[in-house]
Amino acid sequence: MTKNGPARVDAVIIAGARNEGKLKDMSSAKWEALIEVGGKPLVQYSIDFLLAAKSIARIVMVGPEPELAGLLAGTDIEVIPPTGDMLDNVLVGCRRLAELPGGKPGLVMVTPADLPLVTPGIVDGLVKVCLERGGDLFYPVASRETMESKFPGTKRTYGTLREGTFTGGNLFLVDAAVLERVAPQARSLIEGRKDSLKMARALGFSFVLRLLLGRLSVAALERHIQKTFGCVGRAIFVPWPEIGIDIDKPEDVELVEAYLAKRGP
């Protein structure tokens, strides 16, 4: 896929989650990516904003090929089947990119299939900021004030740092080669995310305590990532609350459809 633009990265869309959670009662779709929101399948939004973004080159989707093929007609997006959890699917997506014309990917934008409010401009803005800062892993965060200024009353998961209270975005960028290297450590953290003792052992008790008490600064967090994983991680403060709005429950669908109706085409 060829696009004009000064700086480009590749992308992986993760669309392999079955519709077995809180959304199953509102849709008979077998896959969450195919639940209709605002008149079209959820994953169509991710396809559209990545294709329209000037900063995105090649795109691979990890999901059910037979069901998704019709949505990708006329595009160069390749679908490969899901293989496991989200980390597994990000890895196989990056590996497939390395096999395509153009060679091994560098930075890869990873997006789930349920971000209906993200725009091409947000994608291009995020890529620009990340490339300017430099690093191996970029995680966007939006402040509570940013979220509530456009989506008042929306329920999101927030964490407190010295700089304020933030929620994580649902897009992130990662260097594909670095991800391969740190995958075992990342998997151990993911598997222990619901066990505070395991997390503390992996990250350090002092670090986890400061994080829970809101005494950790962004700079300290980035230093700890570099020490623990041997890579440069960046928290990117963003002005785009749309990246914090994903679809996990029926209330999210109501919020998004009301906003889309108000925003218009």
Side-chain angles (χ1 to χ4, degrees), residues 173-249:
L173 281 82
V174 63
D175 183 280
V178 171
L179 180 63
E180 286 281 2
R181 177 169 56 80
V182 304
Q185 295 162 283
R187 188 176 303 284
S188 67
L189 289 178
I190 292 170
E191 291 173 350
R193 68 189 183 278
K194 295 183 180 180
D195 186 322
S196 57
L197 184 58
K198 287 183 179 179
M199 288 290 286
R201 286 173 176 166
L203 294 172
F205 286 91
S206 174
F207 174 83
V208 172
L209 181 60
R210 285 184 293 151
L211 183 61
L212 292 174
L213 294 176
R215 296 178 179 175
L216 198 66
S217 68
V218 171
L221 178 62
E222 292 178 347
R223 287 195 298 270
H224 197 82
I225 290 173
Q226 185 163 5
K227 178 181 178 181
T228 303
F229 293 97
C231 64
V232 178
R234 305 290 193 196
I236 305 295
F237 297 99
V238 299
W240 309 297
E242 292 87 351
I243 68 170
I245 304 295
D246 57 357
I247 304 293
D248 292 325
K249 51 191 180 299

Side-chain angles (χ1 to χ4, degrees), residues 83-220:
T83 63
D85 60 20
M86 182 175 179
L87 178 59
D88 292 324
N89 291 330
V90 174
L91 287 167
V92 298
C94 291
R95 291 166 187 163
R96 181 56 187 148
L97 283 169
E99 297 169 348
L100 296 177
K104 293 183 179 180
L107 281 182
V108 175
M109 174 172 282
V110 179
T111 175
D114 62 344
L115 295 181
L117 302 185
V118 170
T119 66
I122 291 173
V123 172
D124 289 338
L126 180 59
V127 170
K128 181 176 184 293
V129 171
C130 293
L131 292 177
E132 287 174 348
R133 287 206 62 189
D136 304 313
L137 170 65
F138 303 87
Y139 186 58
V141 294
S143 69
R144 183 189 292 272
E145 293 78 13
T146 295
M147 294 300 300
E148 294 187 348
S149 67
K150 185 169 283 190
F151 303 105
T154 182
K155 295 181 179 179
R156 298 290 130 188
T157 300
Y158 290 95
T160 299
L161 298 170
R162 282 187 179 178
E163 290 83 354
T165 300
F166 304 92
T167 190
N170 296 288
L171 297 172
F172 67 91
L173 281 82
V174 63
D175 183 280
V178 171
L179 180 63
E180 286 281 2
R181 177 169 56 80
V182 304
Q185 295 162 283
R187 188 176 303 284
S188 67
L189 289 178
I190 292 170
E191 291 173 350
R193 68 189 183 278
K194 295 183 180 180
D195 186 322
S196 57
L197 184 58
K198 287 183 179 179
M199 288 290 286
R201 286 173 176 166
L203 294 172
F205 286 91
S206 174
F207 174 83
V208 172
L209 181 60
R210 285 184 293 151
L211 183 61
L212 292 174
L213 294 176
R215 296 178 179 175
L216 198 66
S217 68
V218 171

